[in-house]
Structures are given as C-alpha cells and as structure tokens.
Amino acid sequence: QELALLDDSNTIFKLLGPVLVKQELDEAKATVGKRLDYISGEIKRYEQQMQELERRSEQQREALGRLQQELQRAQGKG
C-alpha cells in the first residue's frame, strides 16, 4: 500500500546486509508483490494442513469412541 503512494520522483532503498542500496520503484513493487504472493501461498498451505490434521483428529476421536463402547459392552457381558 505504501509503495502505491510513491512515484518515480521518490527514492527507494533496499536493505542488503548492513547497506542501503538504491532501487527502482517498479523493481521494489515486483519484489514486494512476489513476497506477498509467497506469504499468501504459505498461509493457504498451512491452513490446508491444519484442516487435514483436524480431520484426522476427528477420525481418531470417533475410532476411540467406538473402541470405548465396545470395551464397555465387553465388560458388561463379562
């Protein structure tokens, strides 16, 4: 958003280690855009991973519930 407020008359610097290096506005916008795309992709990937883990967890809870019911039935008969 901040880069959208700038024009070619503004000077932009990029931090490379301990040094600030002059950078073109278009290059800075492209770099920030790529980083945002990457971060968005990572967030989406982690959300999908969390959904899969929640699904597996629910399956395990259901299996545990069935086993507990079977155990209670077996103890009731014994």
Side-chain angles (χ1 to χ4, degrees):
Q1 291 173 342
E2 294 295 319
L3 289 176
L5 301 174
L6 303 177
D7 60 30
D8 290 332
S9 68
N10 298 108
T11 304
I12 299 171
F13 294 94
K14 177 179 182 176
L15 185 64
L16 290 175
V19 180
L20 288 174
V21 178
K22 204 171 194 180
Q23 188 177 38
E24 296 295 322
L25 177 60
D26 291 338
E27 185 180 344
K29 286 180 179 181
T31 300
V32 169
K34 287 177 189 175
R35 286 184 185 168
L36 289 174
D37 288 345
Y38 174 78
I39 291 168
S40 296
E42 286 295 295
I43 289 171
K44 187 175 183 177
R45 187 173 66 88
Y46 284 121
E47 285 173 347
Q48 290 172 343
Q49 204 172 27
M50 283 177 44
Q51 288 175 353
E52 175 62 20
L53 290 172
E54 287 172 0
R55 185 186 65 78
R56 287 184 193 173
S57 176
E58 183 59 31
Q59 288 176 341
Q60 293 297 320
R61 263 194 296 277
E62 290 172 4
L64 180 59
R66 287 191 299 271
L67 289 172
Q68 287 175 331
Q69 288 176 353
E70 289 176 22
L71 180 60
Q72 287 172 354
R73 281 189 219 122
Q75 288 175 345
K77 293 179 182 179

